Amino acid sequence: MMRLTGFAAGFAACLTLVLWLAAQAFGAAQERQVTYRLIGDALAEVAESGSRTAWLAPAAPLVRRFTPADADRIGLALTEAWRTYAVAQETGEIAVLADHMTGVAHERAVRGVVDALTYGGRMVVLSITATPVFYHKDGSLFQAELEMVVARYLIEDGELRFHETFRDGGVATLLNESSGWRLFSYERRGGSALTAPTTQWTGTANGLNYYPAETPWRDFWSGFDPEVIDADFERIRDLGADTVRVFLTRSAFLVEEGVETAIADLRRLLDLAERHDLQVVPTLFDLKPDYRMSGWADDALILERVLPVLAGSESVAFIDLKNEPDLDFAAHGTAHVTAWLRTMIEVVRDLAPHVPLTIGWAEADAAPRLADRLDVISYHDYAPIAGAAERFAEVRERLPGRPVVVTEIGISSYTFALGFPGSEESQAKDLARRLEALEGADGVLVWTLHDFSQVDPTVVGASPWVRRLQSSFGVIGADGREKPAASVIRRWLAGQG
Amino acid sequence: MLRFALLFVLAAAPCAARDFVADAFGVVPKSALSEDRAAWSGARANAGQIGTAPPEASGTVLLFVGPKALVAGKDDGHAVALVLDRHGNLVADGTPVGFLLGAEGHTDPASRFGVGEVLFRPPPHADVFVAGATAGERQSARATYRVVSDLASAKPVLLPLPRPAVPETLVRIPTAPLFDRFGNAVEDGVGLSVILQHVDWRTSVLSAVVRSGMAEAVFLPRDVTTGGALTATLAANASAGTPFQFAEIAPLGQVPMQIWPQQGIDAVVLRVGPVMTNAGHLLNDGTPVKVSIVDGIGGTDDRDGWLRDGHFETSLALPPDGGPFVVTLTTALGRETRSVSIAANPRSQHVRGVE
């Protein structure tokens, strides 16, 4: 008897140890992975270098004809000068300025970089439109009036002390030297702040986050299949949803090769949603790896490309500017990320003033950030269910009268052993509890429609734990059958209608 | 609750107008604005208000004159002054700028964005001119520009050649002095092409370069014996044709002749050659040859044949002791008559090797 008791105690101790170790591993795997295995995954996509300067016709004839080749070369010189200025402020590498600036502009840029490094100020040129006003007969000297969208901000002691986004007017003088065109002088002559007002959003947004089963994350746009999306939207509608949240991968709308196809596919997706009577919440800049200033002009270019499509679609409910940027605070600095967000908010407002805007914060705590500049308050709720109602109530109290949408909730049905860490039944139960706790929200979007057979390790991390967990958040299993959670959602959505 | 309150304040803080100065190259705290940066003209935002700081009076005048080679009577030059104040700011619009271009003065009364300019037509005589610009009390460094001859109006003339060309001998083909319609000499280094169109429609192409107002092509005739007409071309202008002739080919000195007894019979062997030309080669294989011989005792013989390797050899039915022999040789190069005495057979001489 004593031997039996001892054996049982030992077995229990071993089992406890195994489960404890598994729980530790599970817990560690939940930590957001910020290291990469391959350098290619860590590097941000950049658009191919080229002129980003848009040209208007001269108001009066020039002494020397301004040809398309001149527009390319001088436009590139302007683009590169300001891009290099952003790099120099970030890195402190003043020597690079001489490649693209000379004379007065070079002196002032050096002063600007020194002051930037000393006092924390930063300036990024997001877009350039130029009108030629002077061109020497022998092609040696050129002037243009510039209209530039410029972000300026200053971070001091880790806090964002100053931020503005301006549409500047100025005069640029360039010299054609032995190494090509260089910026000789730039003078700001005026400007106005980008301060388009917020707009209103009323209504509800209940539904699901969406990737196709076989092409999630980075594969979505490259593997775009309208037939698959059509069928999936039908399933979403069949569940009773009125909204689907989709993700515009940054690289798909930046890299020149393929961008025309991506934009056409975006139109097609919005048309499909409209056909199925679904609202769309497009989430921009997905999988943006960093917030380097040298990439902000690329981000503005992406907005120029996608916002006309989104603003022109009846099916867009509101735009989610960025998924979970608060998770980037630790790696990239709260103030720096906030400066980027404020800048992009203002650019979106300028380009699409009538489209409501939100930011999909990862946690309820972050929801009040930048609320005065947003039309919809949104956050994700993966925190313990026990506090879900309280968290929601706090947000409501802090931001009375504002629409609040919880744009991600979910739980994995992945089972390792003995119903740990989850199961399809526990998934259904937990979803039901959380949805009940969020009763009163102006919308809830469940993560996600499908289980995934392939989970991108560059997105979720290489840990097998995490990849298995992330593969099973769907309400439709990998075999295409509805899991119990689907019934929960169907009942909930029927109640919302 | 406090945590949310803090977040709300933080979110609003950047909107509050503190003392920051935002200018063309960024933003700094007003208290940290350096003296040189404060002197930058243009728009500057401070505490949310945009103001424009004006530039000062002219400090530096940069002069750009071009194109650098203006064709006489055709091209306009563009004189441009970029005027900055002592801090590097573009001077105020409307600042007058004066130019001195050669001996002529010009003014732009209303510069814009720091640029004053004038388009000018220089006088049509080729030269290097000095230019300068002034704005206020400042003047630029000197710049230069050139007026060059109008090549399109310069008509080349080839001078006649003093003598026919001889094969393998350099021929110099000069032009007359070259001028444009304003009397400007064509500049050194300008190239011409000289073409010799042969009577048999072949073409020889030469090039010439102007030096001291004239050009000269150099031609070495080789494997060419037909003359024709020479034409020089400068820009789009061609000269009239100038005759080009070759001197005829002549023998190069006397043709060696040898006569020796033929062994075994009462006859002699005659050998003439090598038949050399003033073109530097043997007269061609297959060239017809005629020899007529009269010996000292009234005997005669004639032979026809052709050259091989520049030589002709034949047997004559004349007794070896009938010399001396008067030999008349006729070829395409002419006729030659000489007295030749009998000699030993050159092929019977033994060559002894030496250790």
Side-chain angles (χ1 to χ4, degrees):
Chain A
M1 189 61 167
M2 292 266 297
R3 192 185 295 172
L4 194 61
T5 305
F7 178 76
F11 177 76
C14 286
L15 183 61
T16 303
L17 179 63
V18 167
L19 288 175
W20 181 83
L21 287 170
Q24 293 299 306
F26 175 69
Q30 297 284 68
E31 292 292 318
R32 183 183 175 88
Q33 181 171 316
V34 294
T35 57
Y36 296 88
R37 285 190 178 166
L38 299 176
I39 195 165
D41 299 330
L43 294 174
E45 294 270 9
V46 293
E48 286 86 13
S49 62
S51 170
R52 294 288 182 79
T53 304
W55 290 98
L56 301 178
L62 304 175
V63 172
R64 181 184 173 97
R65 195 170 80 89
F66 185 67
T67 66
D70 291 326
D72 278 346
R73 282 196 295 266
I74 298 174
L76 180 62
L78 284 169
T79 303
E80 290 293 317
W82 291 114
R83 184 182 290 150
T84 304
Y85 188 56
V87 169
Q89 291 170 85
E90 253 175 346
T91 63
E93 285 292 337
I94 288 175
V96 297
L97 293 171
D99 289 345
H100 302 288
M101 295 187 182
T102 186
V104 175
H106 181 256
E107 284 173 24
R108 294 185 178 184
V110 169
R111 162 56 70 191
V113 170
V114 168
D115 285 347
L117 297 174
T118 306
Y119 303 109
R122 297 288 187 271
M123 170 177 150
V124 187
V125 174
L126 303 175
S127 68
I128 306 172
T129 302
T131 305
V133 295
F134 177 82
Y135 200 5
H136 197 296
K137 189 168 193 264
D138 68 4
S140 61
L141 179 68
F142 176 85
Q143 281 188 323
E145 288 189 278
L146 302 186
E147 183 182 278
M148 304 198 301
V149 175
V150 182
R152 293 179 180 83
Y153 63 97
L154 190 144
I155 296 174
E156 185 181 68
D157 298 328
E159 301 292 335
L160 184 64
R161 302 288 185 203
F162 178 90
H163 177 273
E164 67 177 21
T165 311
F166 254 67
R167 178 168 279 109
D168 279 0
V171 177
T173 305
L174 294 95
L175 292 182
N176 193 358
E177 300 179 326
S178 56
S179 56
W181 288 99
R182 289 199 286 176
L183 184 66
F184 173 83
S185 160
Y186 173 68
E187 291 190 4
R188 187 187 189 198
R189 292 291 173 107
S192 59
L194 264 57
T195 52
T198 54
T199 186
Q200 285 226 320
W201 181 77
T202 56
T204 57
N206 292 302
L208 293 102
N209 288 269
Y210 172 65
Y211 280 126
E214 299 304 321
T215 54
W217 288 293
R218 285 186 208 282
D219 295 333
F220 178 60
W221 293 101
S222 58
F224 190 90
D225 188 335
E227 287 183 15
V228 167
I229 294 170
D230 190 25
D232 283 341
F233 280 6
E234 190 162 332
R235 288 194 89 158
I236 291 171
R237 203 68 184 103
D238 179 64
L239 287 168
D242 60 35
T243 303
V244 60
R245 183 168 177 250
V246 297
F247 299 85
L248 276 61
T249 319
R250 182 179 184 266
S251 59
F253 293 88
L254 176 63
V255 179
E256 291 298 323
E257 188 184 339
V259 72
E260 291 295 327
T261 304
I263 291 173
D265 289 341
L266 177 60
R267 281 189 217 278
R268 221 168 275 135
L269 180 142
L270 295 171
D271 288 343
L272 285 169
E274 195 172 342
R275 202 180 307 163
H276 289 281
D277 202 23
L278 285 169
Q279 295 181 117
V280 178
V281 176
T283 305
L284 308 183
F285 300 112
D286 199 41
L287 304 177
K288 178 174 164 67
D290 60 51
Y291 293 81
R292 283 179 290 181
M293 288 164 57
S294 50
W296 288 27
D298 290 342
D299 295 335
L301 177 64
I302 290 170
L303 292 176
E304 282 177 32
R305 286 172 171 167
V306 305
L307 286 174
V309 178
L310 300 177
S313 170
E314 298 286 333
S315 58
V316 172
F318 51 87
I319 290 172
D320 187 343
L321 179 65
K322 181 68 177 69
N323 187 57
E324 301 183 344
D326 42 335
L327 298 184
D328 297 327
F329 287 166
H332 301 286
T334 303
H336 188 66
V337 174
T338 304
W340 181 87
L341 289 167
R342 289 186 64 92
T343 302
M344 295 305 147
I345 287 172
E346 283 153 16
V347 174
V348 170
R349 293 269 182 238
D350 188 56
L351 294 174
H354 303 299
V355 183
L357 189 61
T358 191
I359 292 174
W361 300 105
E363 296 176 353
D365 283 356
R369 286 183 180 273
L370 301 173
D372 61 322
R373 298 301 300 149
L374 300 171
D375 308 302
V376 179
I377 309 301
S378 65
Y379 68 94
H380 304 166
D381 198 58
Y382 292 100
I385 297 174
E390 286 75 18
R391 289 189 292 274
F392 177 72
E394 277 195 51
V395 173
R396 275 276 192 231
E397 191 175 338
R398 288 307 311 164
L399 300 162
R402 307 293 304 278
V404 179
V405 178
V406 184
T407 45
E408 280 188 41
I409 64 167
I411 189 152
S412 179
S413 64
Y414 172 67
T415 302
F416 172 66
L418 304 174
F420 175 83
S423 66
E424 290 190 7
E425 290 69 32
S426 65
Q427 182 192 43
K429 277 188 197 155
D430 286 349
L431 265 179
R433 285 178 58 203
R434 198 180 292 270
L435 285 168
E436 189 183 340
L438 296 173
E439 189 68 39
D442 297 292
V444 179
L445 300 169
V446 175
W447 179 275
T448 179
L449 178 67
H450 285 294
D451 281 354
F452 303 125
S453 57
Q454 298 289 334
V455 175
D456 190 342
T458 65
V459 175
V460 305
S463 159
W465 263 120
V466 173
R467 293 173 67 188
R468 288 194 190 110
L469 285 168
Q470 290 290 338
S471 70
S472 303
F473 273 79
V475 302
I476 294 174
D479 53 6
R481 97 202 126 74
E482 289 189 357
K483 296 196 273 189
S487 302
V488 166
I489 288 169
R490 190 176 272 110
R491 280 196 299 277
W492 165 66
L493 286 169
Q496 300 303 307
Chain B
M1 296 296 250
L2 181 60
R3 181 181 54 191
F4 275 96
L6 278 173
L7 284 171
F8 195 76
V9 167
L10 283 169
C15 304
R18 270 184 55 185
D19 279 348
F20 295 101
V21 175
D23 60 18
F25 283 85
V27 57
V28 288
K30 188 178 178 188
S31 58
L33 187 65
S34 61
E35 198 176 314
D36 59 325
R37 192 164 185 165
W40 298 353
S41 70
R44 187 179 300 146
N46 182 12
Q49 300 295 320
I50 282 230
T52 305
E56 294 181 5
S58 310
T60 303
V61 182
L62 302 174
L63 179 60
F64 302 82
V65 181
K68 286 303 179 188
L70 302 169
V71 175
K74 275 192 181 155
D75 287 344
D76 289 336
H78 195 192
V80 172
L82 182 63
V83 187
L84 311 172
D85 71 9
R86 65 189 175 105
H87 303 293
N89 303 309
L90 302 174
V91 294
D93 289 355
T95 300
V97 179
F99 296 90
L100 190 63
L101 305 168
E104 296 180 12
H106 302 265
T107 302
D108 180 356
S111 63
R112 187 171 176 238
F113 297 143
V115 168
E117 59 172 328
V118 65
L119 280 165
F120 65 98
R121 173 66 62 93
H125 67 268
D127 204 345
V128 176
F129 296 90
V130 173
T134 54
E137 295 180 3
R138 298 291 176 182
Q139 72 180 53
S140 69
R142 293 192 320 169
T144 60
Y145 61 96
R146 292 179 67 197
V147 175
V148 298
S149 61
D150 176 20
L151 291 182
S153 67
K155 294 192 177 4
V157 174
L158 284 170
L159 296 176
L161 299 176
R163 66 187 68 82
V166 175
E168 299 295 328
T169 304
L170 289 176
V171 182
R172 297 187 181 279
I173 306 170
T175 69
L178 298 162
F179 295 97
D180 69 3
R181 59 186 163 121
F182 300 108
N184 296 313
V186 173
E187 288 80 14
D188 286 0
V190 172
L192 288 83
S193 59
V194 177
I195 294 175
L196 172 56
Q197 186 75 59
H198 297 270
V199 293
D200 58 3
W201 296 105
R202 287 186 295 171
T203 306
S204 297
V205 179
L206 313 169
S207 58
V209 176
V210 174
R211 204 170 279 121
S212 301
M214 296 171 57
E216 182 180 82
V218 178
F219 181 36
L220 177 64
R222 174 171 291 165
D223 296 330
V224 176
T225 56
T226 57
L230 284 165
T231 312
T233 305
L234 172 64
N237 296 320
S239 67
T242 297
F244 183 88
Q245 291 165 331
F246 275 97
E248 292 189 8
I249 296 179
L252 190 69
Q254 283 191 327
V255 178
M257 298 180 187
Q258 293 172 294
I259 295 180
W260 63 87
Q262 186 151 13
Q263 243 182 351
I265 60 172
D266 195 20
V268 295
V269 178
L270 169 66
R271 181 179 170 88
V272 301
V275 182
M276 299 282 291
T277 73
N278 64 352
H281 56 75
L282 297 173
L283 199 58
N284 303 14
D285 283 4
T287 303
V289 170
K290 182 180 171 67
V291 292
S292 300
I293 302 96
V294 178
D295 68 9
I297 54 176
T300 63
D301 201 348
D302 295 307
R303 288 285 188 268
D304 291 329
W306 53 88
L307 290 178
R308 182 180 167 201
D309 291 337
H311 291 81
F312 171 65
E313 186 173 302
T314 187
S315 295
L316 300 168
L318 295 172
D321 56 0
F325 302 89
V326 176
V327 180
T328 300
L329 170 68
T330 306
T331 68
L333 296 180
R335 179 177 295 175
E336 187 178 334
T337 301
R338 261 210 328 275
S339 176
V340 180
S341 299
I342 195 88
N345 184 346
R347 298 195 185 103
S348 68
Q349 294 169 11
H350 297 287
V351 177
R352 179 173 294 168
V354 177
E355 286 187 55

